[in-house]
Amino acid sequence: MNTDYIKRANQVIASTYKRFPVVFERGRGCTLWDTEGGEYTDFVAGIAVCNLGHASPEIVRALSRQADTLFHVSNLFYSIPQIELAEKLIEKSFADKVFFCNSGAEANEAAIKLARKNFFDRGEYDRWRIVAMDQSFHGRTFATLSATGQKKVREGFEPILEGFDFVPFNDIEKLEAAVTDKTCAVIVEPVQGEGGVRCGDANFLKQVRKLCTEKGVMLIFDEIQTGIGRTGKLFAYEHFGVEPDIMTLAKALGNGLPIGAMLAKDEAALAFTPGTHASTFGGTPVITAAALEVLKLIEGENILEYCNRTGRYFKDRLLELKEKHPVIEEVRGIGLMLGMKLSKNGAPVVDACMERGFLINCTQENVLRFVPPLVISAEEIDNLIQCLDTVLPMLEKEGYC
Ligand SMILES: *Cc1c(COP(=O)(O)O)cnc(C)c1O
């Protein structure tokens, strides 16, 4: 029974999450089942993690094969899946070198350390500040929460790490003013995820690139949520015709297995010399074998084209809803990273969808976020749209929230 598990969980698991009262037991493709046989279509996908759906047989096979061959060796030695995954990431991106770790926050930690170390190595000892965006999200470790432009993430943990300055997203003039001779890097999510599915303007991102080049500042793209096909390109920066110096990945790279990666151009990456940074589990054979399979599947099965097409269809259907429901203020996003901003708190909509067998997410209190597996079908989208059409009117009722 769900309730027994929930009671046990609440006794022993730190309550850092406000969890929904459901215990998931099994998943396949875009469907999840709970311990009571309840069935759900998953528009959360582990928050943009399971891009190829749950229990993908190819990934299970790649993982099992590697687990049966070599599970783990220290990074004091080489291992084949790590090399192959790095080669694939380099082949598919702007980068020349990869550092592997276990999560998004760690990938951003690596990026922040690398940016600072570059200027230290050049003798520019005062140049360690980083400019980040308001409403950004970069993680929960000390450096990454310090880089996060949301008060609620930092509150209670001060003093935070020194050296982060914040400017409004998509405001090039404020950014120009904030980048000084003490700035080593600018960090941007091409599309803010936790910040409410807010897209970077193509023009803004182009100008950020130009500014960073002119000022000799490193440009870090946090593609932890946008990467690995989520926006319809393998990496979101490909939409905008600009390349960063450093990029971070995690979430969908392992389709649910813990892996993070920091990618960089050689000029930047050279500052990481033996002994300067490390991770025990980073790039371990089992996980990198699975991640390599993820990239091969995305490359081989027209997933990106499908994601573009399905994303456009989904967005159009959400826009149709907007015509009918005044509580919807805006529909935004790209590929299968879509958001619907409401004029009211979205939590009751999330609950009502869940009761009807659809998992969706709400961020920033009033932005419904849709990040399903990239293999979601038009029919599954239609079913969710019908559900939203039914439940949204309850928000219109006076006095609700
Ligand atoms: C999720 C996320 C992170 C943090 O990743 P963790 O694996 O939870 O540490 C960082 N940046 C962005 C943009 C994210 O979406």
Side-chain angles (χ1 to χ4, degrees), residues 47 102-106 108 137-141 144 189 191-194 222-226 248 250-251 259 369:
I47 311 192
N102 316 287
S103 68
E106 281 174 277
N108 282 335
F137 182 80
H138 298 297
R140 299 285 193 158
T141 59
T144 59
E189 297 155 84
V191 182
Q192 290 187 340
E194 304 310 303
D222 177 343
E223 292 235 22
I224 289 164
Q225 191 159 148
T226 54
T248 52
K251 291 203 162 82
I259 180 168
R369 175 170 44 173

Side-chain angles (χ1 to χ4, degrees), residues 255-320:
N255 204 58
L257 292 161
I259 180 168
M262 186 215 55
L263 285 71
K265 292 261 198 207
D266 262 336
E267 303 87 88
L270 291 173
F272 269 178
T273 51
T276 50
H277 197 48
S279 167
T280 296
F281 295 124
T284 203
V286 176
I287 311 284
T288 43
L292 180 63
E293 189 62 30
V294 169
L295 292 179
K296 283 183 178 168
L297 287 169
I298 288 187
E299 172 175 64
E301 298 191 3
N302 281 332
I303 301 241
L304 295 178
E305 193 195 307
Y306 183 81
C307 169
N308 276 308
R309 198 157 15 100
T310 317
R312 267 197 300 274
Y313 176 73
F314 195 172
K315 196 172 183 180
D316 284 345
R317 301 256 20 217
L318 292 172
L319 285 164
E320 274 170 38

Side-chain angles (χ1 to χ4, degrees), residues 9 32 69 114 144 242 245 259 288 303 329 356 386 396:
L32 284 170
T69 309
L114 183 66
T144 59
V242 291
D245 303 293
I259 180 168
T288 43
I303 301 241
E329 284 188 351
R356 289 161 177 79
Q386 200 171 34
E396 312 280 356

